[in-house]
Amino acid sequence: MKLLIGNKCYSSWSLRAWLVLRAKGIAFDEKLVLLDEPGFKEAIFAEAPGSGGTVPTLVDGDIAAWETLAIMEYLHDSCPDLGIWPRDRAARAHARAMSSEMHAGFFALRRACPMNLGKRFAARDRGGDVARDVARITALWREARSRFGEAEGGPFLFGGFSAADAMYAPVVTRLDTYSIPVDPVSAAYMAAVLDHPSYRDWLKAALAEPWIVTQDEVDEPAIANLRHI
């Protein structure tokens, strides 16, 4: 398998697909396609001619999947014993619903706080729409932990690391990067994601990147520049 990804510092959707592959021990090659550079779509079409020309795109022989949830479903179908989705039927339905809500929503948070792993910003009021997104997200996390995760014994939403955690990993990074306060249950969950070995590998590579994507740089002073470029 080959996964086409964007810049690790900024590409939240690439992080989601990459995390599932790495965390579940699925062998794959990765190809970086630089965001906002000439020839971006052409580079993807060269690998996956019928795709949408976006990252991430997974290529497995003559099969291509170019949406993150489609990639996760393909991996689940290909490796059904790896627990990409929770094994329990009720938990699996809940995880898929949570992931679909993430895929289709929380636009206020995503617009105001683009993923940027290279900087950290001070806490401030980011508006009512962002606050409502954060309230909904943390409520989802608490419910998943209470109904499923705690009973399974692991620190993630459904116990062990699953596709749902990969879907919410870039949300975790946003709340961390922009110093957005959360409740203790959500803070503990965030700590587990940020400490996951696969995420730590992604972060290390992200901080070594030299490229700046201007549209994902917010217009406010950073309290820490982790890349020093």
Side-chain angles (χ1 to χ4, degrees):
M1 293 185 188
K2 179 185 290 187
L3 185 69
L4 311 180
I5 61 172
N7 308 45
K8 288 183 175 178
C9 191
Y10 302 103
S11 184
S12 60
W13 292 105
S14 297
L15 169 58
R16 293 175 168 103
W18 189 97
L19 271 181
V20 170
L21 285 157
R22 177 62 72 90
K24 295 302 180 180
I26 301 171
F28 71 103
D29 296 322
E30 66 178 67
K31 179 175 180 178
L32 177 65
V33 185
L34 294 179
L35 301 171
D36 292 342
E37 292 290 329
F40 174 82
K41 285 187 176 292
E42 289 78 7
I44 298 170
F45 291 142
E47 300 280 355
S51 73
T54 56
V55 289
T57 291
L58 181 72
V59 180
D60 187 12
D62 61 355
I63 298 171
W66 58 90
E67 287 287 346
T68 301
L69 284 175
I71 291 171
M72 293 177 177
E73 294 295 352
Y74 179 75
L75 295 174
H76 175 75
D77 289 344
S78 302
C79 310
D81 296 329
L82 293 184
I84 290 170
W85 292 111
R87 290 181 170 86
D88 176 76
R89 184 182 182 191
R92 189 165 61 251
H94 197 93
R96 282 173 163 149
M98 283 184 66
S99 298
S100 295
E101 185 170 351
M102 174 64 254
H103 191 275
F106 307 126
F107 294 112
L109 176 66
R110 288 154 66 175
R111 283 192 296 264
C113 305
M115 191 176 90
N116 183 346
L117 301 181
K119 291 182 178 178
R120 187 173 300 278
F121 300 94
R124 68 178 180 85
D125 183 358
R126 298 186 180 277
D129 289 342
V130 171
R132 281 185 284 275
D133 278 356
V134 172
R136 173 59 181 165
I137 289 163
T138 53
L140 285 168
W141 291 352
R142 291 193 302 273
E143 182 181 17
R145 288 290 302 148
S146 175
R147 289 184 59 189
F148 304 104
E150 291 175 0
E152 291 295 321
F156 299 103
L157 293 174
F158 296 87
F161 191 89
S162 74
D165 300 295
M167 284 298 294
Y168 279 90
V171 177
V172 168
T173 72
R174 284 171 162 96
L175 300 185
D176 180 60
T177 295
Y178 294 91
S179 303
I180 296 175
V182 298
D183 61 273
V185 171
S186 297
Y189 169 64
M190 288 174 57
V193 173
L194 295 172
D195 196 45
H196 193 287
S198 296
Y199 173 73
R200 301 300 299 178
D201 287 345
W202 175 280
L203 177 63
K204 181 179 180 180
L207 297 182
E209 290 181 341
W211 308 285
I212 298 293
V213 178
T214 304
Q215 69 179 22
D216 288 328
E217 294 284 339
V218 296
D219 186 20
E220 63 181 277
I223 59 174
N225 188 335
L226 305 178
R227 290 201 287 169
H228 303 291
I229 59 174

